[in-house]
Amino acid sequence: MFVVEFKCQREEAHRLGYENAKDIIACGFDVKKTFLFSNLDYMGHLYPVVCKIQKKITLNQAKGCFGFDGSDAIGKISFPAIQAAPSFSDAFPIVLGGLDNAFCLIPCAIDQDPYFRMTRDIAPRLGWQKPALIHSKFFPALTGTNTKMSASNTSTTIYLTDTPEEIQSKINKHAFSGGGETLEEHRKNGANLEIDIPYLWLQFFLDDDEKLAHVAEEYGAGRMLTGEVKEELGKRLTEIMLNHQAAKSGVTDEVVHEYMKIRPLRFKR
């Protein structure tokens, strides 16, 4: 983020990293089996692996993979090797207790794919296992399937810090609807579920498959209105957010330190 965003200061990027760590911890990860790190803090341990990766990637390869040009900061050009390094167990000699050439599974969004295609390409040349990836499904912005979420545009997303009132207000005002423009049109043709954001978001957040199928049938047939689907999404998101915020409130700086402390993890092999 720091090397990409011109206005972002290093100290702010570092602070946001720790805030993100609190959100991860609040999801319930076991501290005995979880190591979180900031590149700024862990680079001394990461750097030997970064150097090996950097030596195997040419500038032309990086340009072809990421589209770099002469106007890009040099930090962007060097970053792919840093992003790739945690894919290999050699980067965590203490944390993994000397575990050699372990397999690595990386869950990530599709926009991160170029980094790890590059990583898989150079892994055999370094004598290491290729990492495996699980790509998450693209999550659309509130404003529509053709738009992108932005931290600077509050109308495109829901924040983990939003109140129940803010959540419902954003959904009501900004969530793109696939329903009919008029009540008569909606009753006649039903909603277009492929572009309706409230329904698409319920596919992610509503665990009850029978209820989701009911919404799809009734809303798609025009018997359920957009307002009802938005209300259902608001209730579900509010429940999730309140539970998360309660869990995060107990994550102190001292707790974060325990997760980020360099120490051997405890897990069965």
Side-chain angles (χ1 to χ4, degrees):
M1 179 179 181
F2 169 63
V3 297
V4 175
E5 297 291 339
F6 179 74
K7 294 181 180 179
C8 179
Q9 299 300 310
R10 180 185 60 80
E11 294 80 7
E12 177 64 4
H14 199 203
R15 184 192 70 80
L16 289 174
Y18 273 76
E19 285 301 308
N20 287 343
K22 289 182 179 180
D23 284 314
I24 294 170
I25 293 167
C27 292
F29 287 92
D30 187 345
V31 68
K32 297 182 181 127
K33 301 177 180 179
T34 307
F35 173 58
L36 303 177
F37 67 94
S38 162
N39 287 344
L40 288 169
D41 301 330
Y42 193 68
M43 183 54 77
H45 298 268
L46 206 60
Y47 196 58
V49 175
V50 171
C51 287
K52 290 182 179 181
I53 295 170
Q54 287 175 332
K55 194 171 182 178
K56 295 294 183 181
I57 304 169
T58 68
L59 180 57
N60 282 337
Q61 286 174 321
K63 285 181 177 180
C65 190
F66 303 102
F68 298 138
D69 60 37
S71 66
D72 285 309
I74 195 170
K76 288 178 66 174
I77 298 171
S78 65
F79 182 72
I82 298 172
Q83 177 88 329
S87 306
F88 305 113
S89 54
D90 281 32
F92 306 100
I94 298 174
V95 176
L96 297 179
L99 189 61
D100 183 51
N101 203 17
F103 289 100
C104 176
L105 177 63
I106 303 170
C108 65
I110 190 66
D111 61 336
Q112 300 298 300
D113 183 69
Y115 290 100
F116 300 112
R117 282 184 180 270
M118 175 204 73
T119 306
R120 285 175 55 82
D121 180 60
I122 57 99
R125 289 185 275 147
L126 289 165
W128 292 332
Q129 301 284 356
K130 291 183 177 183
L133 275 68
I134 295 179
H135 288 146
S136 61
K137 189 174 181 181
F138 182 73
F139 196 89
L142 266 180
T143 45
T145 55
N146 294 324
T147 59
K148 187 177 180 181
M149 289 187 188
S150 170
S152 60
N153 186 350
T154 59
S155 66
T156 62
T157 191
I158 305 291
Y159 298 124
L160 293 174
T161 54
D162 282 346
T163 65
E165 292 77 18
E166 289 171 329
I167 291 170
Q168 193 63 63
S169 176
K170 284 184 179 182
I171 292 171
N172 291 341
K173 290 180 180 178
H174 303 299
F176 185 82
S177 171
E181 292 186 9
T182 65
L183 178 59
E184 181 182 5
E185 181 183 336
H186 181 75
R187 293 295 192 194
K188 179 180 178 181
N189 301 319
N192 182 346
L193 301 183
E194 293 183 0
I195 63 171
D196 189 272
I197 294 300
Y199 172 73
L200 293 176
W201 277 35
L202 282 174
Q203 288 185 317
F204 287 94
F205 295 114
L206 186 60
D207 294 330
D208 189 329
D209 289 341
E210 290 186 7
K211 191 169 187 179
L212 181 64
H214 174 75
V215 171
E217 181 178 348
E218 295 298 303
Y219 190 36
R223 292 186 291 271
M224 180 178 283
L225 302 179
T226 297
E228 296 176 83
V229 182
K230 287 186 174 183
E231 183 180 2
E232 179 64 35
L233 176 62
K235 288 179 181 177
R236 184 66 189 120
L237 285 182
T238 295
E239 178 186 359
I240 292 171
M241 292 300 184
L242 290 178
N243 288 338
H244 179 80
Q245 289 166 6
K248 186 178 178 180
S249 67
V251 182
T252 63
D253 291 341
E254 291 73 23
V255 171
V256 175
H257 174 73
E258 289 303 309
Y259 278 83
M260 302 186 85
K261 184 165 61 178
I262 300 173
R263 81 285 181 196
L265 296 180
R266 287 183 273 172
F267 49 83
K268 294 180 181 179
R269 296 185 187 176

